[in-house]
Amino acid sequence: MCQSFNMGDETLWNPPNGASRMFQRQVAISEVELALPSGIGPMEKISARSAPRLSRPLSMLF
């Protein structure tokens, strides 16, 4: 089973559950440390929605 990260009707990433949980924890830490919203919403069933205006490439976070 995997979880998916979507923007609108497009799937951006479809990792396994373990990788998804690790990614979500890293995003939460980055949001707190950088005081910036990631644009990644909470998991709903097996998918998360991403807000296009708030999303930044991961390279911009570090």
Side-chain angles (χ1 to χ4, degrees):
M1 184 130 193
C2 20
Q3 297 179 338
S4 62
F5 293 83
N6 305 313
M7 186 180 303
D9 291 334
E10 182 180 0
T11 298
L12 304 174
W13 188 38
N14 194 13
N17 288 336
S20 176
R21 283 191 303 271
M22 186 176 358
F23 175 72
Q24 289 174 305
R25 287 191 295 266
Q26 291 296 324
V27 166
I29 291 167
S30 296
E31 286 179 320
V32 170
E33 292 297 317
L34 301 173
L36 293 171
S38 69
I40 297 175
M43 277 294 167
E44 296 174 4
K45 297 183 184 175
I46 60 168
S47 66
R49 295 280 174 193
S50 180
R53 291 183 340 164
L54 295 176
S55 298
R56 294 180 173 85
L58 289 178
S59 61
M60 291 180 66
L61 295 177
F62 303 103

